[in-house]
Amino acid sequence: MLLSTQNLQAFYGDFQALFGIDFEIEEGEVVAIIGANGAGKSTFLKTLSGLLKAPRESIVFDGTAIGGMRACDVARLGIAMVPEGRRLFPSLTVHENLAMGMHSGRRGPWNLARVLGLFPVLRELLSLPGNAISGGQQQMVAIGRALLANPRLLICDELSLGLAPVAVKAVYDTLPAMIADGLTLVIVEQDVGLAQRVTQRLYCFQEGRVSLQGRSGELSRPAISQAYFGV
């Protein structure tokens, strides 16, 4: 087991957003998290990555309790995040945005040449500002930046959000190459059918709780709809 959470709770001030999340992912797995807006998906990822506080023992990564650790320390352990909305630095070039991923200091299979091999369209864009390229290209930069941190666990928040279908396909077509070296992947995805196709297991969140989990290909649409909407 690479990462697990037990009875994970999270708060924004006095507002409780997560209620006892139990989650696990084995090394090399690809797992999806689905759910309606406000279900707690992004909050869960932020908590895993150290952006929100959590009790230390409620998150365990490779045998180490990491709840409440600083985000920079979590990144050095080998967890990287592709945030919702890409979050590129508009004052930096594409090349400089990519290079930010190297600041974790981790060694591994990913370098700039390999990222550009994965996303060759970025070769001609390296000198452009991060906000001067298309949404799909920005998503490629955000993924490349995270890969350059050489993580063991990559968590991706809404990879397809706001992208044209051709851009979504281009991003998801790279998944086999991304996980070829055993990278473990958690994906938050709005498109339930796509989430089922590209992952091995699936969790559905509803109002800050896990409402359904199982093998992606074995969960029926009626069961997912009930867990998703609660009706």
Side-chain angles (χ1 to χ4, degrees):
M1 195 65 59
L2 182 61
L3 178 136
S4 64
T5 70
Q6 184 172 11
N7 193 32
L8 177 62
Q9 302 181 52
F11 295 81
Y12 293 100
D14 293 331
F15 174 77
Q16 186 168 0
L18 297 180
F19 300 83
I21 299 292
D22 292 335
F23 175 93
E24 60 184 30
I25 185 168
E26 295 182 3
E27 193 155 15
E29 269 196 306
V30 182
V31 172
I33 300 174
I34 63 171
N37 290 338
K41 307 182 300 297
S42 294
T43 298
F44 179 67
L45 298 193
K46 289 176 182 177
T47 307
L48 295 184
S49 60
L51 297 174
L52 283 177
K53 296 295 184 184
R56 179 60 63 97
E57 301 297 327
S58 63
I59 307 174
V60 176
F61 178 68
D62 195 24
T64 300
I66 65 168
M69 288 181 63
R70 298 183 303 169
C72 58
D73 294 327
V74 172
R76 291 190 186 101
L77 286 176
I79 298 177
M81 182 174 179
V82 180
E84 180 182 352
R86 280 81 76 177
R87 300 294 182 90
L88 301 188
F89 295 95
S91 62
L92 301 182
T93 66
V94 167
H95 183 272
E96 290 167 337
N97 270 284
L98 287 168
M100 292 295 292
M102 304 178 193
H103 285 206
S104 70
R106 289 180 54 83
R107 295 184 178 182
W110 289 97
N111 53 37
L112 182 60
R114 185 173 179 188
V115 166
L116 294 179
L118 188 68
F119 301 117
V121 68
L122 298 182
R123 293 183 186 276
E124 306 302 320
L125 307 175
L126 291 176
S127 63
L128 295 179
N131 62 351
I133 58 179
S134 72
Q137 292 162 350
Q138 289 183 32
Q139 190 66 285
M140 293 175 188
V141 175
I143 294 170
R145 178 179 61 189
L147 290 173
L148 284 169
N150 277 293
R152 296 180 63 190
L153 173 65
L154 181 62
I155 52 182
C156 302
D157 196 358
E158 303 282 14
L159 280 182
S160 66
L161 183 65
L163 300 184
V166 64
V168 174
K169 183 179 186 302
V171 167
Y172 273 99
D173 281 350
T174 65
L175 283 191
M178 287 167 55
I179 62 177
D181 295 312
L183 180 66
T184 305
L185 197 57
V186 175
I187 301 173
V188 166
E189 178 52 62
Q190 288 186 327
D191 185 330
V192 175
L194 178 59
Q196 287 188 281
R197 289 195 302 274
V198 303
T199 64
Q200 294 152 336
R201 290 192 301 113
L202 181 146
Y203 285 79
C204 185
F205 282 19
Q206 184 189 122
E207 296 182 348
R209 297 174 172 85
V210 174
S211 55
L212 181 70
Q213 61 173 298
R215 303 291 300 178
S216 299
E218 297 174 359
L219 297 174
S220 69
R221 282 307 180 94
I224 291 174
S225 294
Q226 170 136 17
Y228 197 103
F229 297 108
V231 293

